[in-house]
PDB file of all heavy atoms in Angstrom:
ATOM      1  N   ALA A1098      16.032 -13.471  92.224  1.00 96.00           N
ATOM      2  CA  ALA A1098      14.884 -13.972  91.549  1.00 96.00           C
ATOM      3  C   ALA A1098      13.594 -13.833  92.450  1.00 96.00           C
ATOM      4  O   ALA A1098      12.509 -13.635  91.871  1.00 96.00           O
ATOM      5  CB  ALA A1098      15.034 -15.400  91.104  1.00 96.00           C
ATOM      6  N   ALA A1099      13.832 -13.872  93.736  1.00 95.00           N
ATOM      7  CA  ALA A1099      12.680 -13.878  94.679  1.00 95.00           C
ATOM      8  C   ALA A1099      11.884 -12.593  94.433  1.00 95.00           C
ATOM      9  O   ALA A1099      12.440 -11.413  94.557  1.00 95.00           O
ATOM     10  CB  ALA A1099      13.226 -13.940  96.116  1.00 95.00           C
ATOM     11  N   GLY A1100      10.631 -12.771  94.110  1.00 96.00           N
ATOM     12  CA  GLY A1100       9.831 -11.596  93.700  1.00 96.00           C
ATOM     13  C   GLY A1100       8.632 -11.361  94.645  1.00 96.00           C
ATOM     14  O   GLY A1100       7.805 -12.306  94.786  1.00 96.00           O
ATOM     15  N   TYR A1101       8.497 -10.226  95.261  1.00 96.00           N
ATOM     16  CA  TYR A1101       7.440  -9.880  96.126  1.00 96.00           C
ATOM     17  C   TYR A1101       6.944  -8.522  95.807  1.00 96.00           C
ATOM     18  O   TYR A1101       7.684  -7.545  95.843  1.00 96.00           O
ATOM     19  CB  TYR A1101       7.922  -9.918  97.630  1.00 96.00           C
ATOM     20  CG  TYR A1101       8.606 -11.132  97.971  1.00 96.00           C
ATOM     21  CD1 TYR A1101       9.962 -11.164  98.260  1.00 96.00           C
ATOM     22  CD2 TYR A1101       7.952 -12.330  98.152  1.00 96.00           C
ATOM     23  CE1 TYR A1101      10.710 -12.224  98.607  1.00 96.00           C
ATOM     24  CE2 TYR A1101       8.593 -13.529  98.515  1.00 96.00           C
ATOM     25  CZ  TYR A1101      10.018 -13.440  98.744  1.00 96.00           C
ATOM     26  OH  TYR A1101      10.704 -14.602  99.166  1.00 96.00           O
ATOM     27  N   PRO A1102       5.659  -8.370  95.440  1.00 93.00           N
ATOM     28  CA  PRO A1102       5.118  -7.081  94.942  1.00 93.00           C
ATOM     29  C   PRO A1102       4.849  -5.981  95.953  1.00 93.00           C
ATOM     30  O   PRO A1102       4.712  -4.819  95.600  1.00 93.00           O
ATOM     31  CB  PRO A1102       3.850  -7.424  94.220  1.00 93.00           C
ATOM     32  CG  PRO A1102       3.446  -8.774  94.922  1.00 93.00           C
ATOM     33  CD  PRO A1102       4.643  -9.396  95.401  1.00 93.00           C
ATOM     34  N   ASP A1103       4.816  -6.388  97.266  1.00 94.00           N
ATOM     35  CA  ASP A1103       4.404  -5.349  98.282  1.00 94.00           C
ATOM     36  C   ASP A1103       5.352  -4.157  98.213  1.00 94.00           C
ATOM     37  O   ASP A1103       6.558  -4.264  98.373  1.00 94.00           O
ATOM     38  CB  ASP A1103       4.479  -6.006  99.650  1.00 94.00           C
ATOM     39  CG  ASP A1103       4.050  -7.380  99.671  1.00 94.00           C
ATOM     40  OD1 ASP A1103       4.756  -8.240  99.038  1.00 94.00           O
ATOM     41  OD2 ASP A1103       3.033  -7.750 100.177  1.00 94.00           O
ATOM     42  N   LYS A1104       4.750  -2.927  98.125  1.00 95.00           N
ATOM     43  CA  LYS A1104       5.595  -1.744  98.031  1.00 95.00           C
ATOM     44  C   LYS A1104       6.359  -1.326  99.360  1.00 95.00           C
ATOM     45  O   LYS A1104       7.236  -0.530  99.255  1.00 95.00           O
ATOM     46  CB  LYS A1104       4.759  -0.612  97.487  1.00 95.00           C
ATOM     47  CG  LYS A1104       4.339  -0.802  96.102  1.00 95.00           C
ATOM     48  CD  LYS A1104       3.692   0.418  95.547  1.00 95.00           C
ATOM     49  CE  LYS A1104       3.310   0.156  94.020  1.00 95.00           C
ATOM     50  NZ  LYS A1104       2.546   1.190  93.403  1.00 95.00           N
ATOM     51  N   ASP A1105       5.887  -1.934 100.450  1.00 94.00           N
ATOM     52  CA  ASP A1105       6.621  -1.540 101.758  1.00 94.00           C
ATOM     53  C   ASP A1105       7.865  -2.372 101.835  1.00 94.00           C
ATOM     54  O   ASP A1105       8.635  -2.098 102.830  1.00 94.00           O
ATOM     55  CB  ASP A1105       5.680  -1.649 102.938  1.00 94.00           C
ATOM     56  CG  ASP A1105       5.206  -3.130 103.168  1.00 94.00           C
ATOM     57  OD1 ASP A1105       5.687  -3.996 102.431  1.00 94.00           O
ATOM     58  OD2 ASP A1105       4.418  -3.373 104.081  1.00 94.00           O
ATOM     59  N   GLY A1106       8.120  -3.323 100.993  1.00 96.00           N
ATOM     60  CA  GLY A1106       9.330  -4.066 101.059  1.00 96.00           C
ATOM     61  C   GLY A1106       9.548  -5.006 102.202  1.00 96.00           C
ATOM     62  O   GLY A1106      10.668  -5.400 102.495  1.00 96.00           O
ATOM     63  N   HIS A1107       8.476  -5.348 102.929  1.00 96.00           N
ATOM     64  CA  HIS A1107       8.664  -6.087 104.186  1.00 96.00           C
ATOM     65  C   HIS A1107       9.195  -7.494 103.952  1.00 96.00           C
ATOM     66  O   HIS A1107       9.963  -8.024 104.762  1.00 96.00           O
ATOM     67  CB  HIS A1107       7.416  -6.147 105.078  1.00 96.00           C
ATOM     68  CG  HIS A1107       6.283  -6.921 104.493  1.00 96.00           C
ATOM     69  ND1 HIS A1107       5.311  -6.379 103.681  1.00 96.00           N
ATOM     70  CD2 HIS A1107       5.973  -8.213 104.746  1.00 96.00           C
ATOM     71  CE1 HIS A1107       4.442  -7.386 103.379  1.00 96.00           C
ATOM     72  NE2 HIS A1107       4.831  -8.519 103.979  1.00 96.00           N
ATOM     73  N   HIS A1108       8.957  -8.075 102.797  1.00 96.00           N
ATOM     74  CA  HIS A1108       9.442  -9.452 102.464  1.00 96.00           C
ATOM     75  C   HIS A1108      10.996  -9.331 102.324  1.00 96.00           C
ATOM     76  O   HIS A1108      11.706 -10.235 102.827  1.00 96.00           O
ATOM     77  CB  HIS A1108       8.868  -9.995 101.172  1.00 96.00           C
ATOM     78  CG  HIS A1108       7.573 -10.654 101.319  1.00 96.00           C
ATOM     79  ND1 HIS A1108       6.385 -10.160 100.992  1.00 96.00           N
ATOM     80  CD2 HIS A1108       7.257 -11.892 101.897  1.00 96.00           C
ATOM     81  CE1 HIS A1108       5.375 -10.984 101.291  1.00 96.00           C
ATOM     82  NE2 HIS A1108       5.949 -12.047 101.797  1.00 96.00           N
ATOM     83  N   TYR A1109      11.447  -8.301 101.647  1.00 97.00           N
ATOM     84  CA  TYR A1109      12.870  -8.214 101.452  1.00 97.00           C
ATOM     85  C   TYR A1109      13.524  -7.837 102.755  1.00 97.00           C
ATOM     86  O   TYR A1109      14.670  -8.280 102.999  1.00 97.00           O
ATOM     87  CB  TYR A1109      13.182  -7.114 100.396  1.00 97.00           C
ATOM     88  CG  TYR A1109      12.757  -7.556  99.005  1.00 97.00           C
ATOM     89  CD1 TYR A1109      11.704  -6.999  98.355  1.00 97.00           C
ATOM     90  CD2 TYR A1109      13.392  -8.666  98.390  1.00 97.00           C
ATOM     91  CE1 TYR A1109      11.186  -7.518  97.149  1.00 97.00           C
ATOM     92  CE2 TYR A1109      12.938  -9.185  97.153  1.00 97.00           C
ATOM     93  CZ  TYR A1109      11.872  -8.540  96.555  1.00 97.00           C
ATOM     94  OH  TYR A1109      11.389  -9.049  95.331  1.00 97.00           O
ATOM     95  N   TYR A1110      12.814  -7.032 103.563  1.00 97.00           N
ATOM     96  CA  TYR A1110      13.407  -6.694 104.884  1.00 97.00           C
ATOM     97  C   TYR A1110      13.633  -7.961 105.689  1.00 97.00           C
ATOM     98  O   TYR A1110      14.580  -8.167 106.400  1.00 97.00           O
ATOM     99  CB  TYR A1110      12.507  -5.702 105.599  1.00 97.00           C
ATOM    100  CG  TYR A1110      13.097  -5.323 106.993  1.00 97.00           C
ATOM    101  CD1 TYR A1110      14.077  -4.367 107.104  1.00 97.00           C
ATOM    102  CD2 TYR A1110      12.639  -6.004 108.127  1.00 97.00           C
ATOM    103  CE1 TYR A1110      14.573  -4.026 108.287  1.00 97.00           C
ATOM    104  CE2 TYR A1110      13.192  -5.660 109.384  1.00 97.00           C
ATOM    105  CZ  TYR A1110      14.177  -4.666 109.427  1.00 97.00           C
ATOM    106  OH  TYR A1110      14.727  -4.389 110.676  1.00 97.00           O
ATOM    107  N   ARG A1111      12.606  -8.909 105.616  1.00 95.00           N
ATOM    108  CA  ARG A1111      12.725 -10.126 106.381  1.00 95.00           C
ATOM    109  C   ARG A1111      13.957 -10.927 105.948  1.00 95.00           C
ATOM    110  O   ARG A1111      14.602 -11.565 106.745  1.00 95.00           O
ATOM    111  CB  ARG A1111      11.409 -10.956 106.189  1.00 95.00           C
ATOM    112  CG  ARG A1111      10.985 -11.415 107.441  1.00 95.00           C
ATOM    113  CD  ARG A1111       9.679 -12.174 107.497  1.00 95.00           C
ATOM    114  NE  ARG A1111       9.207 -12.608 106.184  1.00 95.00           N
ATOM    115  CZ  ARG A1111       7.949 -12.830 105.944  1.00 95.00           C
ATOM    116  NH1 ARG A1111       6.983 -12.630 106.813  1.00 95.00           N
ATOM    117  NH2 ARG A1111       7.610 -13.207 104.766  1.00 95.00           N
TER     118      ARG A1111
END
Side-chain angles (χ1 to χ4, degrees):
Y1101 308 109
D1103 324 65
K1104 290 191 178 170
D1105 64 4
H1107 70 271
H1108 275 105
Y1109 293 109
Y1110 181 81
R1111 228 174 15 204

